[in-house]
Amino acid sequence: MTAAQVVQSEWTKIRSVASTVWTLSLAVVVTVALGMLISALSSNEFDNMSTKDRLSFDPTFISFAGMSLGQLAMIVFGVLVVSNEYSTGMIRTSLAAVPQRGTFLFSKIAVATALALAVGLVTSFVAFFLGQAMLGSHRAEIGDPHVLRAVIGGGVYMTLIAVFSMGVAAMLRSPMLSLGILMPFFFLISNILGNVDATKKIGRYLPDQAGSKIMQVITPIDDDTPYGPWGGLGIMALWVIAVLVGGYVLLKRRDA
Amino acid sequence: MIELEGLTKRYGEKLAVDDLTFTVRPGMVTGFLGPNGAGKSTTMRMMLGLDRPTAGDVRIDGQHYDRLKDPLKYIGALLDAKAMHGGRSARNHLLCLAQSNGIPGRRVAEVLDTVGLTAVARKKAKGFSLGMGQRLGIAGALLGDPRILMFDEPVNGLDPEGIHWIRNLMKSLAAQGRTVFVSSHLMSEMALTADHLVVIGQGRLLADTSMADFIAQNSRSYVRVRTPQRERLLDVLHLAGVTVVESGSGVLEADGGSAEQIGELAAQHQIVLHELSPQQASLEEAFMQLTAGSVEYHAHTDAPYDVPPPAAQQAQQPQPRQWGDDWNRSRR
């Protein structure tokens, strides 16, 4: 058995279930649509803003505002790709066919990651261009300094969110439990921790808070974050590696 | 060939599989029999490397399962009918299994045809009946044209036509020289298909014997006799060398004598008979006798199981046991 065979098999698996299509389409639609809406609103509000806010105005980052909601669809995608195996009982058939559990898990994650990256990049570019169109005269251009990095980074960010969810699902196995932890964490808890002064210093090391730094082009004036865009992405990547290792170790040890 | 050596699985305090050693040989159907909860499925999962044994070893053609290159080409297994993603079509389910083991895609159509699912190849598995799911699982087992096949309770929930089909399939696979290992909790089912029998109860090996030997040893035949002149008949039969067991309410069970012989003896001595009938204890009874001490879950009645009439009066009837006996036993 070669890894290439298993990758091909995992591609057949992922393309033959409906959840792949609807989770990924939802991620694109929600991210782009919400980004456009917020961009349009921000453009109208610009004239009423304080000077400080105007100086911090980051049209690129604003066009990615839809990701706060769109990433939830990416989380569902990542969780379902892995936990479907357990909730359906397919895992026993899969591991009987591919008893090398590391090959099985990482082939699955590689295929899902490649797909998430493709969708993430498309989402990110579409969200950027349509968002800028809404911003009118306050728009950023793709050729402006750091903008391309932010746009590609947006796609990578969405991908890493999905991979993080895959790792968590590999550890927890149950789709309900995984979603029940990840959705409120990324939608509420992380935001609260990152915005309350007392917990801000810890909150900014959470995967989404750190990772989203890559999408910033203009650093807010009073920002004292001790890492830059690449540092933030690195912190997020460390989180992802940690959960993947956890998922692998548990899969290796557990009875299927 | 599948070889088990001292295979043991412990879940916390409980021994699910206890030091199993036996070999499953090619060219025949080996029945794996035991009451519910005896450890059959756990044993099969360990054979496939899904569960890790606490102790002992399983080898498939001399190798550990996870050392097999493209395992589906060595051993095909049906574990449970619903071990598949319901949202995937039958064809894609088999295709992803084939690809992972480097099996050519045309095999998918071939096995779908073998199990009779060609017409629903593009339908989602969640719309399948239990019987269709079972057939799809079997198609997956046949995919790699393996020399060893393993089926866990394949007839469960099937209609008579499906049961007939599976029996014939297993026999024809064994006739091709393949190793066929099939579990069941029904002795009657095994009697129809298996050539060899491995019986377990509470994880322990109770019998490893050919089906013919099992039948010869366990299906006691006797003649059931009722008479108002019990003492006289006992004397007569004793003199004629026929062993008689009294089984209560005036019924005698005569071993080692034919109904004709007993009838003629009774006529010679002018003994009135109210009943003279040859009986054969069924294999199901023999199986229940064998596993009586190791039944994991039984209904809460005085006897450990509902015994059909002839056996109810048998001398070897197990002692009524108390609720909780098994629980205590399993905690040892």
Side-chain angles (χ1 to χ4, degrees):
Chain A
M1 170 175 313
T2 64
Q5 287 171 7
V6 185
V7 165
Q8 193 190 14
S9 155
E10 289 298 332
W11 171 243
T12 302
K13 277 187 192 173
I14 208 168
R15 70 171 172 77
S16 59
V17 291
S19 60
T20 305
V21 179
W22 68 256
T23 48
L24 291 178
S25 340
L26 207 61
V28 180
V29 171
V30 169
T31 307
V32 172
L34 192 63
M36 285 169 72
L37 181 70
I38 292 176
S39 298
L41 293 175
S42 306
S43 173
N44 291 338
E45 278 296 301
F46 189 84
D47 295 336
N48 305 328
M49 282 180 185
S50 65
T51 323
K52 189 187 139 200
D53 283 346
R54 285 188 197 187
L55 284 172
S56 298
F57 192 80
D58 186 344
T60 313
F61 196 64
I62 286 170
S63 62
F64 295 138
M67 267 187 204
S68 61
L69 210 55
Q71 69 179 358
L72 297 186
M74 274 301 196
I75 290 170
V76 179
F77 167 73
V79 165
L80 289 187
V81 160
V82 173
S83 65
N84 265 342
E85 291 270 352
Y86 292 98
S87 60
T88 59
M90 179 72 190
I91 186 73
R92 289 188 295 280
T93 306
S94 295
L95 289 181
V98 186
Q100 294 78 16
R101 297 189 178 187
T103 310
F104 164 73
L105 181 68
F106 290 111
S107 299
K108 179 181 284 300
I109 288 177
V111 168
T113 303
L115 186 59
L117 182 63
V119 173
L121 284 175
V122 169
T123 309
S124 176
F125 275 93
V126 174
F128 174 78
F129 285 114
L130 293 181
Q132 300 316 310
M134 293 293 133
L135 281 162
S137 58
H138 309 294
R139 65 142 77 64
E141 298 294 340
I142 192 79
D144 292 351
H146 308 306
V147 168
L148 188 60
R149 179 260 294 159
V151 176
I152 292 173
V156 175
Y157 170 84
M158 283 189 103
T159 310
L160 288 178
I161 285 283
V163 185
F164 184 81
S165 309
M166 293 172 211
V168 170
M171 288 198 278
L172 299 178
R173 295 187 281 190
S174 150
M176 283 306 137
L177 185 62
S178 308
L179 291 175
I181 289 174
L182 287 169
M183 302 272 264
F185 180 82
F186 281 120
F187 196 60
L188 291 174
I189 297 169
S190 168
N191 281 330
I192 294 168
L193 289 179
N195 286 316
V196 174
D197 283 337
T199 55
K200 214 171 183 171
K201 285 195 158 49
I202 304 161
R204 64 194 177 199
Y205 290 102
L206 292 173
D208 58 331
Q209 302 272 324
S212 57
K213 190 90 178 150
I214 193 79
M215 293 178 275
Q216 266 182 13
V217 172
I218 292 157
T219 312
I221 290 173
D222 52 358
D223 188 57
D224 61 345
T225 313
Y227 52 76
W230 293 108
L233 200 69
I235 291 169
M236 189 184 193
L238 288 178
W239 278 97
V240 170
I241 291 167
V243 291
L244 288 182
V245 169
Y248 169 70
V249 168
L250 285 175
L251 176 68
K252 193 88 180 162
R253 283 194 186 166
R254 266 189 307 225
D255 288 340
Chain B
M1 181 137 76
I2 312 173
E3 294 155 291
L4 285 76
E5 222 182 279
L7 196 67
T8 303
K9 181 72 185 181
R10 181 186 287 278
Y11 293 112
E13 288 270 290
K14 191 172 153 36
L15 264 180
V17 175
D18 186 359
D19 196 23
L20 280 188
T21 301
F22 62 87
T23 300
V24 187
R25 293 195 169 76
M28 57 171 103
V29 178
T30 300
F32 190 35
L33 198 60
N36 289 331
K40 300 186 298 290
S41 295
T42 306
T43 304
M44 288 180 137
R45 284 202 305 271
M46 285 193 284
M47 288 175 168
L48 294 175
L50 295 175
D51 286 13
R52 195 182 299 275
T54 310
D57 213 11
V58 192
R59 281 167 194 275
I60 312 292
D61 286 342
Q63 280 184 298
H64 283 125
Y65 192 85
D66 60 4
R67 294 267 162 212
L68 297 174
K69 186 184 177 292
D70 298 335
L72 297 184
K73 293 177 184 171
Y74 289 86
I75 175 165
L78 167 77
L79 280 186
D80 58 277
K82 290 294 173 188
M84 57 186 68
H85 191 300
R88 203 169 275 135
S89 70
R91 194 182 149 276
N92 280 327
H93 171 72
L94 295 173
L95 183 63
C96 71
L97 291 180
Q99 287 170 336
S100 68
N101 276 249
I103 297 163
R106 62 179 161 78
R107 274 296 291 167
V108 170
E110 284 172 24
V111 292
L112 278 170
D113 186 52
T114 308
V115 302
L117 288 181
T118 306
V120 291
R122 287 175 189 279
K123 292 255 162 49
K124 288 181 179 175
K126 66 182 158 203
F128 284 11
S129 65
L130 186 55
M132 288 159 85
Q134 205 80 292
R135 280 168 190 260
L136 181 54
I138 289 169
L142 297 174
L143 200 56
D145 196 19
R147 300 297 300 162
I148 305 173
L149 286 131
M150 197 153 99
F151 303 105
D152 193 6
E153 308 266 0
V155 301
N156 261 10
L158 288 190
D159 55 12
E161 193 261 329
I163 293 176
H164 187 71
W165 175 77
I166 287 195
R167 279 183 198 148
N168 287 336
L169 177 75
M170 289 191 294
K171 283 182 185 166
S172 69
L173 289 167
Q176 292 161 11
R178 296 178 213 256
T179 307
V180 181
F181 188 57
V182 53
S183 79
S184 178
H185 58 268
L186 296 174
M187 183 67 218
S188 51
E189 183 54 40
M190 289 293 94
L192 288 168
T193 41
D195 308 300
H196 194 88
L197 205 57
V198 173
V199 184
I200 66 167
Q202 285 205 338
R204 281 188 292 273
L205 188 68
L206 299 176
D208 180 2
T209 170
S210 79
M211 195 72 209
D213 285 353
F214 186 84
I215 291 172
Q217 281 166 17
N218 289 291
S219 55
R220 182 174 83 107
S221 56
Y222 59 94
V223 181
R224 189 175 142 98
V225 188
R226 277 196 304 134
T227 171
Q229 295 154 282
R230 198 172 132 270
E231 295 303 326
R232 278 205 64 196
L233 184 66
L234 281 173
D235 286 344
V236 166
L237 291 178
H238 184 70
L239 284 173
V242 177
T243 323
V244 180
V245 182
E246 293 189 66
S247 63
S249 56
V251 176
L252 302 177
E253 293 178 358
D255 284 305
S258 66
E260 291 83 353
Q261 187 194 359
I262 294 167
E264 278 158 22
L265 281 170
Q268 274 170 30
H269 295 87
Q270 299 197 319
I271 301 170
V272 176
L273 296 184
H274 289 168
E275 182 181 347
L276 177 67
S277 59
Q279 302 278 332
Q280 179 131 34
S282 75
L283 287 174
E284 206 70 49
E285 288 160 31
F287 168 56
M288 288 197 286
Q289 298 278 1
L290 188 59
T291 57
S294 65
V295 175
E296 180 84 353
Y297 311 102
H298 57 70
H300 192 181
T301 54
D302 287 339
Y305 44 78
D306 284 327
V307 188
Q313 279 116 23
Q314 278 187 17
Q316 306 109 300
Q317 185 181 349
Q319 295 294 311
R321 289 174 303 142
Q322 293 200 328
W323 169 250
D325 272 6
D326 290 326
W327 182 75
N328 283 320
R329 198 191 315 268
S330 69
R331 276 169 54 90
R332 274 190 319 202

